[in-house]
Tab-separated table of all heavy atoms in Angstrom:
chain	number	residue	atom	x	y	z
D	212	VAL	N	111.159	139.109	111.963
D	212	VAL	CA	110.290	140.188	112.234
D	212	VAL	C	109.100	139.746	113.177
D	212	VAL	O	108.766	138.558	113.075
D	212	VAL	CB	109.784	140.777	110.836
D	212	VAL	CG1	110.898	141.272	109.986
D	212	VAL	CG2	108.863	139.875	110.162
D	213	PRO	N	108.497	140.696	113.814
D	213	PRO	CA	107.299	140.201	114.699
D	213	PRO	C	106.106	140.042	113.819
D	213	PRO	O	106.010	140.524	112.673
D	213	PRO	CB	107.117	141.457	115.544
D	213	PRO	CG	107.759	142.711	114.839
D	213	PRO	CD	108.880	142.059	114.019
D	214	LEU	N	105.115	139.349	114.342
D	214	LEU	CA	103.920	139.131	113.607
D	214	LEU	C	102.895	140.220	114.022
D	214	LEU	O	102.556	140.317	115.148
D	214	LEU	CB	103.335	137.803	113.892
D	214	LEU	CG	102.055	137.364	113.286
D	214	LEU	CD1	102.075	137.463	111.670
D	214	LEU	CD2	101.423	136.112	113.723
D	215	MET	N	102.495	141.000	113.090
D	215	MET	CA	101.540	142.086	113.142
D	215	MET	C	100.654	142.024	111.888
D	215	MET	O	100.923	141.399	110.974
D	215	MET	CB	102.267	143.460	113.295
D	215	MET	CG	103.222	143.527	114.378
D	215	MET	SD	104.112	145.156	114.437
D	215	MET	CE	105.121	144.909	112.931
D	216	PRO	N	99.602	142.733	112.002
D	216	PRO	CA	98.707	142.702	110.874
D	216	PRO	C	99.384	143.094	109.549
D	216	PRO	O	99.232	142.352	108.409
D	216	PRO	CB	97.668	143.812	111.082
D	216	PRO	CG	97.540	143.775	112.495
D	216	PRO	CD	98.897	143.499	113.068
D	217	GLU	N	100.393	143.861	109.625
D	217	GLU	CA	101.162	144.362	108.400
D	217	GLU	C	102.162	143.385	107.945
D	217	GLU	O	102.667	143.442	106.740
D	217	GLU	CB	101.707	145.747	108.533
D	217	GLU	CG	102.519	145.892	109.703
D	217	GLU	CD	101.901	146.497	110.892
D	217	GLU	OE1	100.658	146.107	111.117
D	217	GLU	OE2	102.421	147.298	111.607
D	218	THR	N	102.615	142.528	108.740
D	218	THR	CA	103.642	141.462	108.419
D	218	THR	C	102.934	140.035	108.175
D	218	THR	O	103.699	139.117	107.819
D	218	THR	CB	104.608	141.340	109.475
D	218	THR	OG1	104.220	140.948	110.718
D	218	THR	CG2	105.459	142.707	109.596
D	219	ARG	N	101.680	139.979	108.490
D	219	ARG	CA	101.108	138.672	108.225
D	219	ARG	C	101.258	138.267	106.736
D	219	ARG	O	101.009	138.969	105.854
D	219	ARG	CB	99.537	138.604	108.642
D	219	ARG	CG	98.978	137.280	108.526
D	219	ARG	CD	97.629	137.105	109.201
D	219	ARG	NE	97.224	135.827	109.377
D	219	ARG	CZ	97.552	134.891	110.049
D	219	ARG	NH1	98.411	135.177	111.063
D	219	ARG	NH2	97.178	133.622	109.953
D	220	HIS	N	101.727	136.962	106.572
D	220	HIS	CA	101.954	136.549	105.173
D	220	HIS	C	102.869	137.399	104.395
D	220	HIS	O	102.705	137.707	103.259
D	220	HIS	CB	100.691	136.315	104.357
D	220	HIS	CG	99.929	135.050	104.756
D	220	HIS	ND1	98.648	134.750	104.269
D	220	HIS	CD2	100.118	134.207	105.931
D	220	HIS	CE1	98.254	133.542	104.893
D	220	HIS	NE2	99.189	133.186	105.858
D	221	LEU	N	103.889	137.911	105.193
D	221	LEU	CA	104.967	138.728	104.580
D	221	LEU	C	105.561	137.893	103.294
D	221	LEU	O	105.942	138.427	102.417
D	221	LEU	CB	106.018	139.037	105.569
D	221	LEU	CG	107.300	139.853	105.142
D	221	LEU	CD1	106.783	141.251	104.973
D	221	LEU	CD2	108.300	139.800	106.234
D	222	ILE	N	105.713	136.642	103.582
D	222	ILE	CA	106.140	135.706	102.559
D	222	ILE	C	104.971	134.980	102.020
D	222	ILE	O	104.404	133.899	102.430
D	222	ILE	CB	107.170	134.669	103.027
D	222	ILE	CG1	108.342	135.392	103.709
D	222	ILE	CG2	107.650	133.790	101.913
D	222	ILE	CD1	109.102	136.316	102.764
D	223	ASP	N	104.264	135.606	101.026
D	223	ASP	CA	103.101	135.054	100.333
D	223	ASP	C	103.544	134.489	99.050
D	223	ASP	O	104.738	134.292	98.650
D	223	ASP	CB	102.040	136.202	100.227
D	223	ASP	CG	102.571	137.340	99.441
D	223	ASP	OD1	103.742	137.235	98.936
D	223	ASP	OD2	101.846	138.378	99.406
D	224	ALA	N	102.523	134.128	98.211
D	224	ALA	CA	102.812	133.392	96.914
D	224	ALA	C	103.645	134.355	96.011
D	224	ALA	O	104.689	133.775	95.505
D	224	ALA	CB	101.485	133.097	96.240
D	225	PRO	N	103.531	135.427	95.821
D	225	PRO	CA	104.435	136.352	95.029
D	225	PRO	C	105.770	136.381	95.574
D	225	PRO	O	106.787	136.359	94.840
D	225	PRO	CB	103.736	137.735	94.843
D	225	PRO	CG	102.257	137.497	95.164
D	225	PRO	CD	102.261	136.307	96.152
D	226	ALA	N	105.886	136.485	96.842
D	226	ALA	CA	107.173	136.622	97.447
D	226	ALA	C	107.997	135.339	97.283
D	226	ALA	O	109.135	135.239	96.948
D	226	ALA	CB	107.085	136.952	98.856
D	227	LEU	N	107.316	134.150	97.457
D	227	LEU	CA	107.907	132.789	97.192
D	227	LEU	C	108.274	132.623	95.699
D	227	LEU	O	109.427	132.212	95.440
D	227	LEU	CB	106.954	131.716	97.561
D	227	LEU	CG	106.681	131.587	99.109
D	227	LEU	CD1	105.391	130.774	99.358
D	227	LEU	CD2	107.827	131.052	99.770
D	228	LYS	N	107.535	133.294	94.798
D	228	LYS	CA	107.804	133.152	93.379
D	228	LYS	C	109.112	134.052	93.098
D	228	LYS	O	109.951	133.703	92.218
D	228	LYS	CB	106.723	133.729	92.528
D	228	LYS	CG	105.465	132.896	92.530
D	228	LYS	CD	105.625	131.613	91.730
D	228	LYS	CE	104.338	130.927	91.610
D	228	LYS	NZ	104.468	129.591	90.888
D	229	ALA	N	109.214	135.044	93.931
D	229	ALA	CA	110.506	135.947	93.671
D	229	ALA	C	111.733	135.361	94.161
D	229	ALA	O	112.903	135.808	93.657
D	229	ALA	CB	110.250	137.232	94.411
D	230	MET	N	111.679	134.310	94.998
D	230	MET	CA	112.911	133.596	95.530
D	230	MET	C	113.461	132.745	94.477
D	230	MET	O	112.868	132.166	93.517
D	230	MET	CB	112.650	132.924	96.736
D	230	MET	CG	112.090	133.721	98.000
D	230	MET	SD	111.792	132.716	99.472
D	230	MET	CE	113.275	131.896	99.802
D	231	ARG	N	114.863	132.477	94.641
D	231	ARG	CA	115.481	131.530	93.757
D	231	ARG	C	115.038	130.191	93.919
D	231	ARG	O	114.675	129.740	95.047
D	231	ARG	CB	117.036	131.675	94.159
D	231	ARG	CG	117.654	132.983	93.843
D	231	ARG	CD	119.209	133.074	94.143
D	231	ARG	NE	119.787	134.324	93.782
D	231	ARG	CZ	121.123	134.559	93.952
D	231	ARG	NH1	121.891	133.671	94.535
D	231	ARG	NH2	121.575	135.649	93.709
D	232	ASP	N	115.089	129.319	92.918
D	232	ASP	CA	114.570	128.051	92.936
D	232	ASP	C	115.407	127.150	93.934
D	232	ASP	O	114.896	126.213	94.629
D	232	ASP	CB	114.684	127.387	91.564
D	232	ASP	CG	113.655	127.967	90.652
D	232	ASP	OD1	112.634	128.538	91.147
D	232	ASP	OD2	113.750	127.612	89.438
D	233	ASP	N	116.707	127.531	94.037
D	233	ASP	CA	117.544	126.742	94.924
D	233	ASP	C	117.759	127.457	96.362
D	233	ASP	O	118.831	127.181	97.044
D	233	ASP	CB	118.870	126.509	94.301
D	233	ASP	CG	119.693	127.602	93.937
D	233	ASP	OD1	119.134	128.906	94.124
D	233	ASP	OD2	120.826	127.694	93.484
D	234	ALA	N	117.048	128.454	96.698
D	234	ALA	CA	117.153	129.129	97.901
D	234	ALA	C	116.890	128.222	99.208
D	234	ALA	O	116.115	127.222	99.064
D	234	ALA	CB	116.306	130.461	97.967
D	235	ILE	N	117.312	128.715	100.317
D	235	ILE	CA	117.052	128.043	101.628
D	235	ILE	C	116.130	129.228	102.286
D	235	ILE	O	116.535	130.317	102.418
D	235	ILE	CB	118.188	127.724	102.411
D	235	ILE	CG1	119.028	126.608	101.787
D	235	ILE	CG2	117.822	127.388	103.853
D	235	ILE	CD1	120.328	126.344	102.372
D	236	LEU	N	115.056	128.723	102.899
D	236	LEU	CA	114.055	129.599	103.565
D	236	LEU	C	114.070	129.062	105.020
D	236	LEU	O	113.791	127.919	105.281
D	236	LEU	CB	112.729	129.535	103.052
D	236	LEU	CG	111.739	130.463	103.751
D	236	LEU	CD1	111.980	131.859	103.871
D	236	LEU	CD2	110.293	130.202	103.110
D	237	VAL	N	114.243	130.004	106.024
D	237	VAL	CA	114.195	129.720	107.432
D	237	VAL	C	113.204	130.685	108.138
D	237	VAL	O	113.298	131.881	107.985
D	237	VAL	CB	115.611	129.759	108.012
D	237	VAL	CG1	115.526	129.559	109.646
D	237	VAL	CG2	116.436	128.701	107.411
D	238	ASN	N	112.338	130.090	108.968
D	238	ASN	CA	111.485	130.946	109.814
D	238	ASN	C	111.583	130.328	111.253
D	238	ASN	O	111.061	129.345	111.571
D	238	ASN	CB	110.052	130.864	109.329
D	238	ASN	CG	109.160	131.864	110.006
D	238	ASN	OD1	109.627	132.640	110.871
D	238	ASN	ND2	107.879	131.640	109.859
Side-chain angles (χ1 to χ4, degrees):
V212 300
L214 178 61
M215 301 178 290
E217 55 267 36
T218 61
R219 182 164 189 82
H220 288 179
L221 181 71
I222 304 299
D223 56 10
L227 291 164
K228 292 287 187 186
M230 293 177 62
R231 295 179 175 180
D232 288 345
D233 61 353
I235 293 171
L236 174 63
V237 174
N238 186 11

